[in-house]
């Protein structure tokens, strides 16, 4: 990884700016504008600049927002689009800086980021204690021709109580750096090194192998190609751990994919990923090579890895269809006890569109991840970063969700939601079963299945670029609570937040 970081630095040093080819930073997935942007894409009011890929490059997002015909879409949508452009567009060209800050207060009945990950009192979906919290930070961006540099440190007292946060919790104020990267961008690709939340797969649902679930996954990224065809790759070092003998084990992950948009309506991505681990193990170059097939290298080099392959698709239109499929392990032969291992895979299918009114959209999706997905016979070759999945944070579950979205006022996005979640007792942090246990290990739904019906209403209101308010209120009707048969509970979960935002920008001397 040190050699790769050096390669990035050399490439950045050689990246002399060219007229009309300036780099642009990314709009973080947690940026306040993103719920509005996703709603406009769902309703086909703007094109998706990069289907099956998040986050957006800011320049690409500004371009599609500028293309909205504000005389046709209605006053509420038009005002919302203008507000988004005010927040995202950057006047002037050349070497520039932007400093965007915010301070906020929030309160919630749970402490995790996702209310569906906060159902139980114990176990992987434990809610944690409800709290009032305060936060604030500065997002500093430097645009230097073909190179962009970003750092976004912030504090958030919620992190002290979040069971997912691996960092220091003993101080009164906990903090982290949400984004920190240097990227060189050319018409034929990008070289990236640093920290940025990404999601590969359909928007609105976490990707099966790469999502924004882990905190602070620093990585090296590469993209080569055109606007409609790209080879994309990332490589990262996962956190070290120890094996049963007490030896320190190094862990790495690589993912690469072919992203293709043969028609404005159709987008496909064919991808694979590998998790490597071992005492004193390095990142073998044949897995780093974006032109290699990791599965083939695994067989030919006789090295131990956990390999995943997948396919994503999206057909965009007034009715948009999308899906993602990942295969972890499937046994074709049935010659010995090891061949009886249950199949492990994940999938998502869905559709989204509008209801005939310019401000209303809908999304319907179904997703499932089987019992042994992500786990491997080598228990350390699991795509976990500090006990958080690099894609999904749960297995042995399925989920069906229907969500609406509408703009009753300019800057007010309201999203009702109905979700049915079924969670077995399988967990990707559990040891992989031995071959002798394969005949009694279910492909789906280990043990007592917990069922959750969620009825919720969430929303975002930005009456002004500087002020933002968000809320999420839901009722969870839980059957077999914490996997105890016949224990039924109904719980109310809610969160509210208020933020004040400010910004300075201008030319660099």
């Amino acid at each position: 990884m040190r050699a790769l970081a050096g390669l990035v630095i050399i490439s950045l040093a050689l990246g002399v700016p060219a007229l009309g080819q300036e780099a642009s930073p990314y709009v973080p997935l947690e940026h306040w504008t993103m719920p509005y942007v996703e709603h406009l894409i769902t309703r086909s009011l703007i094109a998706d600049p990069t289907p099956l890929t998040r986050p957006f490059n800011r320049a690409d997002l500004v371009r599609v927002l500028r293309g909205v015909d504000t005389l046709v879409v209605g006053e509420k949508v038009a005002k919302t689009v203008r507000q988004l452009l005010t927040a995202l567009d950057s006047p002037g060209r050349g070497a520039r800086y932007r400093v965007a800050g915010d301070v906020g207060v929030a309160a919630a009945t749970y402490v995790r980021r996702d209310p569906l990950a906060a159902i139980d009192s114990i176990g992987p979906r434990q809610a944690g204690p409800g709290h009032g919290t305060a936060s604030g930070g500065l997002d500093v961006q430097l645009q230097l021709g073909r190179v962009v540099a970003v750092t976004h440190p912030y504090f958030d007292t919620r992190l002290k109580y979040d069971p997912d946060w691996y960092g220091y919790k003993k101080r009164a104020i906990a903090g982290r750096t949400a984004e920190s990267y240097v990227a060189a961008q050319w018409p034929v690709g990008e070289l990236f090194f640093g920290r940025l939340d990404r999601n590969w797969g359909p928007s609105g649902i976490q990707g099966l192998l790469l999502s924004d679930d882990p905190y602070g996954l620093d990585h090296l990224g590469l993209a080569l190609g055109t606007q409609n065809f790209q080879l994309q790759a990332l490589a990262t070092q996962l956190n070290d751990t120890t094996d049963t003998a007490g030896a320190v084990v190094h862990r790495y992950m690589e993912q690469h994919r072919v992203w293709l948009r043969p028609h404005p309506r159709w987008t496909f991505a064919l991808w694979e990923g590998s998790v490597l681990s071992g005492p004193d193990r390095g990142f073998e170059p044949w897995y780093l090579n974006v032109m290699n097939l990791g599965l083939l290298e695994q067989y030919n080099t006789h090295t131990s890895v956990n390999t995943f392959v997948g396919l994503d698709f999206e057909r965009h239109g007034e009715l948009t269809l999308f899906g993602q499929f990942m295969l972890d392990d499937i046994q074709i032969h049935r010659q010995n006890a090891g061949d009886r291992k249950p199949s492990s895979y994940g999938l998502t299918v869905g559709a989204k569109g509008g209801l005939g009114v310019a401000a209303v959209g809908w999304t319907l999706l179904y997703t499932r991840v089987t019992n042994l997905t992500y786990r491997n016979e080598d228990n350390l070759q699991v795509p976990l970063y500090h006990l958080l999945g690099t894609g999904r944070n749960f297995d042995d579950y399925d989920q069906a969700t229907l969500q609406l979205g509408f703009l009753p006022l300019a800057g007010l996005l309201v999203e009702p939601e109905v979700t049915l979640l079924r969670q077995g007792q399988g967990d990707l942090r559990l040891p992989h079963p031995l071959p002798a246990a394969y005949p009694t290990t279910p492909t789906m739904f280990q043990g007592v299945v917990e069922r959750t019906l969620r009825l919720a209403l969430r929303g975002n209101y930005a009456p002004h670029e500087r002020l933002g308010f968000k809320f999420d209120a839901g009722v969870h009707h839980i059957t077999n609570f914490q996997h105890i048969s016949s224990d039924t509970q109904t719980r109310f979960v809610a969160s509210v937040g208020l933020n004040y935002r400010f910004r300075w920008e201008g030319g660099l001397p």
Side-chain angles (χ1 to χ4, degrees):
M1 290 297 289
R2 292 178 182 174
L4 294 174
L7 177 61
V8 174
I9 295 171
I10 293 172
S11 300
L12 296 181
L14 295 176
V16 180
L19 185 64
Q21 298 175 357
E22 295 185 345
S24 175
Y26 290 92
V27 180
L29 291 172
E30 294 298 319
H31 197 269
W32 70 268
T33 59
M34 284 305 298
Y36 302 95
V37 170
E38 294 291 2
H39 171 72
L40 295 174
I41 292 173
T42 297
R43 191 58 190 88
S44 295
L45 297 176
I46 62 174
D48 189 333
T50 53
L52 304 174
T53 309
R54 298 293 187 269
F56 294 122
N57 181 289
R58 192 176 75 197
D60 291 340
L61 187 52
V62 167
R63 172 178 51 81
V64 296
L65 287 170
R66 284 176 177 169
V68 175
D69 188 345
T70 55
L71 298 178
V72 174
V73 296
E75 182 180 2
K76 291 178 287 190
V77 174
K79 287 184 177 179
T80 301
V81 169
R82 286 193 289 268
Q83 191 172 354
L84 298 178
L85 281 171
T86 300
L88 296 171
D89 204 359
S90 184
R93 301 183 64 85
R96 300 186 60 78
Y97 73 90
R98 170 184 280 218
V99 179
D102 72 282
V103 292
V105 292
T109 61
Y110 55 93
V111 75
R112 300 185 94 147
R113 292 171 289 177
D114 179 4
L116 272 176
I119 295 173
D120 299 329
S121 302
I122 59 174
R125 291 188 184 268
Q126 61 174 303
H131 269 282
T133 58
S135 63
L138 287 176
D139 182 4
V140 181
Q141 303 177 359
L142 302 177
Q143 291 181 255
L144 305 167
R146 283 182 179 158
V147 178
V148 60
V150 173
T151 183
H152 181 196
Y154 76 98
F155 74 89
D156 188 349
T157 59
R158 184 194 64 82
L159 293 172
K160 286 182 57 180
Y161 312 102
D162 186 352
D164 291 336
W165 172 239
Y166 63 85
Y168 195 67
K169 297 186 178 184
K170 294 183 179 180
R171 296 183 183 275
I173 298 177
R176 74 183 190 103
T177 304
E179 298 92 36
S180 53
Y181 60 87
V182 178
Q185 299 170 0
W186 295 272
V188 294
E190 176 185 47
L191 201 56
F192 174 100
F193 184 73
R195 181 178 303 180
L196 178 69
D197 289 345
R198 297 182 185 271
N199 196 81
W200 282 3
S203 62
I205 185 75
Q206 289 177 323
L208 286 167
L209 195 58
L210 181 62
S211 78
D212 60 343
D213 192 65
Y215 281 113
L217 188 65
D218 290 274
H219 58 278
L220 174 68
L222 173 70
L224 296 172
T226 68
Q227 290 185 341
N228 297 316
F229 172 82
Q230 285 195 0
L231 300 174
Q232 302 169 345
L234 66 85
T236 186
Q237 181 171 353
L238 305 175
N239 60 294
D240 288 346
T241 186
T242 56
D243 61 18
T244 54
V248 176
V249 175
H250 303 307
R251 304 168 59 245
Y252 309 93
M253 180 179 70
E254 63 82 15
Q255 296 184 34
H256 52 255
R257 66 176 184 168
V258 178
W259 182 90
L260 175 65
R261 184 162 51 182
H263 184 274
R265 289 186 179 272
W266 285 97
T267 308
F268 300 93
L270 183 64
W271 53 270
E272 70 170 2
S274 300
V275 178
L276 304 74
S277 71
D280 300 321
R281 186 168 186 174
F283 212 148
E284 290 97 349
W286 46 88
Y287 290 117
L288 287 171
N289 188 345
V290 67
M291 305 306 292
N292 278 342
L293 295 177
L295 186 61
L296 203 58
E297 295 304 312
Q298 176 186 357
Y299 292 142
N300 291 338
T301 60
H302 304 287
T303 49
S304 175
V305 298
N306 188 8
T307 301
F308 308 82
V309 295
L311 172 67
D312 307 343
F313 74 89
E314 180 172 298
R315 191 268 185 192
H316 186 75
E318 292 188 7
L319 174 65
T320 295
L321 304 176
F322 57 83
Q324 180 175 54
F325 178 75
M326 179 185 76
L327 181 61
D328 182 2
D329 200 348
I330 186 171
Q331 301 300 319
I332 300 175
H333 303 290
R334 297 289 177 179
Q335 298 176 350
N336 53 52
D339 294 337
R340 297 184 180 182
K341 178 181 176 179
S343 298
S344 51
Y345 63 88
L347 64 87
T348 295
V349 291
K352 57 186 178 181
L355 295 177
V357 181
V360 179
W362 60 270
T363 300
L364 176 66
L365 66 89
Y366 172 78
T367 189
R368 70 183 292 161
V369 182
T370 60
N371 183 21
L372 297 185
T373 302
Y374 304 120
R375 286 191 265 175
N376 196 37
E377 289 80 358
D378 183 336
N379 289 309
L380 301 182
Q381 291 178 351
V382 181
L384 291 172
Y385 184 62
H386 293 284
L387 296 182
L388 279 173
T390 63
R392 305 288 174 85
N393 198 35
F394 308 101
D395 60 9
D396 199 23
Y397 83 99
D398 70 350
Q399 172 186 335
T401 294
L402 172 62
Q403 178 181 296
L404 301 179
F406 58 95
L407 291 163
L409 299 172
L412 174 60
L413 175 63
V414 179
E415 297 176 304
E417 174 195 334
V418 179
T419 290
L420 177 62
L421 171 71
R422 299 186 296 178
Q423 176 69 65
Q425 290 183 255
D427 181 33
L428 65 165
R429 286 156 284 262
L430 292 175
H432 192 277
L434 297 174
Y438 288 169
T440 58
T441 301
T443 300
M444 192 75 180
F445 296 137
Q446 179 83 40
V448 177
V449 179
E450 182 181 64
R451 294 175 174 83
T452 302
L453 175 63
R454 170 175 163 85
L455 304 175
L457 182 69
R458 66 183 182 188
N460 293 267
Y461 184 41
H464 189 272
E465 180 199 346
R466 294 185 180 273
L467 192 63
F469 175 74
K470 61 181 180 180
F471 63 90
D472 190 316
V475 175
H476 292 176
H477 180 71
I478 309 169
T479 306
N480 298 336
F481 178 66
Q482 296 184 169
H483 307 285
I484 299 175
S485 297
S486 303
D487 186 355
T488 300
Q489 298 196 17
T490 300
R491 295 192 167 189
F492 176 73
V493 295
S495 65
V496 293
L498 179 67
N499 278 75
Y500 177 76
R501 300 181 283 260
F502 50 92
R503 187 177 78 230
W504 306 282
E505 58 184 308
L508 288 171

